[in-house]
């Protein structure tokens, strides 16, 4: 019981001085690397009443998505989202020690806070002398909140105080960073190309005449992101591959081609087929036929949504599938009606 009370008091004390931690905890900075990589800094902070760290995960995207406009995936599994928080290597013994010493002697109970912190990290409950004799042999792992998910209630799930993990060991903690956590983090970093489609014939659709639609095959190719923890050898690559295009004409007064509006992606990466004059009377492999004019009305909002299959691999050999995702954009379509002249 005494230990539980002590831990609760420690957590409350950390919450009170958390603003100071950003300034006093030394940290190694991980700058952006080549090939479109970026990473965090490992500085201290707080989440509620717990010591936290800024993620050190670096992400690297080889090449580009192939479009100036990009977007992120929406999971087709409504019950799944990338992780909101996890634990990762954050502080060395010297960094924990310097934090406590910086707090000691501050006005407004700084010495009392330091005394509690020393009791936890210095005096043997549960750590002795900040684990300084283990410098270079491990790290204190701390909770990290996914910056894109900070408002998710699940972001408060990682509420443990920083705990020691020797180098080369994986902590017995379900929320510890792992290849799959890295892969799921990379899922959030995927940038998918814009889905604005080409429509022909003409600049406007015509009532009862099929409009051919297609997407540039050079744009729709697999997109990958690699997430890694620097100096750990741990990395995971998440790859999204386009599999189909769904057309929503924006009105019930329309027919889609093929029926159902799902256009398959060909082996060469093309979606649909370009229009040519000799195909004017044919149904397109991917397209829409509008049945009413938009004269005097607002244009229809044609939405084109690409479904992406998502898979991951890692430096450990682990890998598998993640939920498929979608990304789509809308564009205005004006529908004209050809007027016939009777003589």
């Amino acid at each position: 019981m005494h230990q539980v009370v002590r831990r609760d008091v420690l957590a409350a004390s950390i919450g009170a001085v958390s603003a100071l931690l950003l300034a006093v905890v030394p940290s190694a900075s991980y700058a952006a690397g080549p090939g479109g990589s970026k990473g965090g800094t490992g500085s201290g902070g707080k989440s509620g009443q717990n010591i936290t760290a800024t993620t050190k995960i670096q992400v690297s995207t080889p090449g580009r998505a192939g479009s100036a406009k990009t977007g992120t995936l929406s999971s087709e599994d409504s019950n799944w989202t990338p992780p909101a928080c996890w634990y990762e290597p954050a502080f060395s013994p010297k960094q924990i020690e310097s934090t406590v010493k910086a707090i000691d002697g501050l006005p407004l109970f700084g010495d009392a806070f330091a005394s509690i912190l020393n009791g936890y990290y210095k005096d043997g409950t549960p750590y002795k002398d900040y684990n300084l004799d283990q410098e270079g042999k491990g790290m204190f792992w701390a909770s990290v909140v996914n910056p894109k998910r900070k408002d998710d209630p699940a972001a408060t799930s990682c509420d443990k105080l920083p705990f020691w993990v020797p180098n080369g060991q994986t902590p017995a903690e379900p929320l510890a960073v792992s290849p799959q956590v890295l892969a799921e983090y990379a899922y959030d970093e995927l940038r998918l190309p814009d889905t604005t489609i080409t429509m022909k014939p003409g600049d406007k659709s015509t009532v009862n005449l099929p409009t051919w639609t297609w997407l540039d095959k050079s744009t729709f190719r697999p997109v990958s992101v690699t997430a890694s923890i620097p100096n750990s050898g741990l990395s995971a690559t998440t790859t999204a591959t386009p599999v189909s295009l769904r057309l929503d004409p924006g009105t019930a007064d329309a027919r889609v081609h093929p029926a159902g509006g799902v256009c398959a992606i060909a082996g060469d990466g093309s979606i649909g087929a370009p229009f040519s004059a000799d195909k004017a009377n044919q149904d397109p492999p991917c397209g829409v036929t509008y049945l009413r004019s938009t004269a005097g009305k607002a244009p229809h909002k044609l939405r084109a949504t690409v479904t992406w299959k998502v898979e991951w691999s890692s430096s450990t050999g682990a890998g598998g599938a993640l939920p498929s995702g979608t990304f789509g954009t809308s564009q205005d379509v004006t529908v004209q009606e050809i007027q016939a002249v009777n003589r």
Side-chain angles (χ1 to χ4, degrees):
M1 177 63 71
H2 176 72
Q3 177 62 29
V4 172
V5 173
R6 188 181 186 90
R7 184 181 179 90
D8 290 344
V9 173
L10 172 62
S13 302
I14 291 169
V17 298
S18 58
L20 176 68
L21 296 178
L22 283 169
V24 301
V25 178
S27 61
S29 178
Y30 295 93
S37 64
K38 61 180 182 179
T41 62
S43 58
K46 79 161 200 152
S47 175
Q49 295 178 333
N50 190 26
I51 293 179
T52 64
T54 301
T55 183
K56 297 176 183 176
I57 294 177
Q58 289 185 332
V59 294
S60 176
T61 305
R64 297 298 174 193
S67 172
K69 297 180 181 179
T70 61
T72 56
L73 277 179
S74 295
S75 171
E76 290 192 315
D77 182 350
S78 60
N79 295 318
W80 182 89
T81 60
C85 72
W86 57 87
Y87 297 97
E88 68 178 62
F91 303 109
S92 71
K94 289 182 179 179
Q95 289 172 332
I96 292 292
E97 179 189 34
S98 65
T99 301
V100 176
K101 288 185 176 180
I103 294 171
D104 194 7
L106 286 176
L108 299 176
F109 313 112
D111 54 348
F113 294 150
S115 176
I116 296 171
L117 290 167
N118 275 322
Y120 192 80
Y121 287 108
K122 180 183 178 183
D123 297 335
T125 311
Y127 300 106
K128 179 76 172 176
D129 198 24
Y130 316 104
N131 272 13
L132 287 175
D133 62 338
Q134 300 298 307
E135 186 73 32
K137 299 179 181 179
M139 295 285 286
F140 284 97
W141 287 41
S143 61
V144 169
V145 173
N146 186 336
K148 293 185 177 180
R149 310 267 167 196
K150 60 184 179 181
D151 296 324
D152 187 329
T156 63
S157 300
C158 303
D159 57 1
K160 291 184 178 181
L161 295 168
F163 53 90
W164 179 255
V165 180
N167 289 338
Q169 293 190 20
T170 300
E173 165 55 55
L175 294 175
V177 70
S178 65
Q180 183 155 348
V181 167
L182 290 174
E184 292 175 352
Y185 180 88
Y187 188 107
D188 249 356
E189 297 292 331
L190 288 166
R191 293 294 178 269
L192 293 312
D194 180 37
T195 59
T196 299
I197 56 180
T198 303
M199 305 181 66
K200 294 292 182 182
D203 297 328
K204 298 178 180 180
S205 289
T206 302
V207 171
N208 291 324
L209 292 180
T211 297
W212 290 55
T213 64
W214 66 95
L215 286 164
D216 183 2
K217 67 181 180 182
S218 66
T219 297
F220 287 86
R221 57 185 186 273
V223 177
S224 295
V225 169
T226 296
S228 61
I229 296 287
N231 305 316
S232 71
L234 191 65
S235 67
T237 298
T238 299
T239 300
T241 303
V243 294
S244 64
L245 168 72
R246 177 179 292 276
L247 295 178
D248 179 351
T251 175
D253 293 321
R255 293 196 308 268
V256 288
H257 311 279
V262 177
C263 306
I265 295 181
D268 64 357
S270 62
I271 305 175
F275 172 80
S276 60
D278 61 318
K279 301 174 182 177
N281 295 320
Q282 301 177 23
D283 283 342
C286 186
V288 58
T289 299
Y290 286 99
L291 306 179
R292 295 183 185 276
S293 169
T294 57
K297 304 175 184 177
H300 296 309
K301 293 287 186 182
L302 171 66
R303 185 164 185 82
T305 302
V306 173
T307 296
W308 300 76
K309 178 180 68 175
V310 185
E311 298 174 305
W312 66 279
S313 59
S314 71
S315 56
T316 66
L322 292 174
S324 295
T326 60
F327 172 58
T329 52
S330 299
Q331 59 198 86
D332 290 342
V333 178
T334 299
V335 184
Q336 63 186 353
E337 187 164 13
I338 297 177
Q339 300 294 327
V341 178
N342 297 318
R343 296 184 183 274

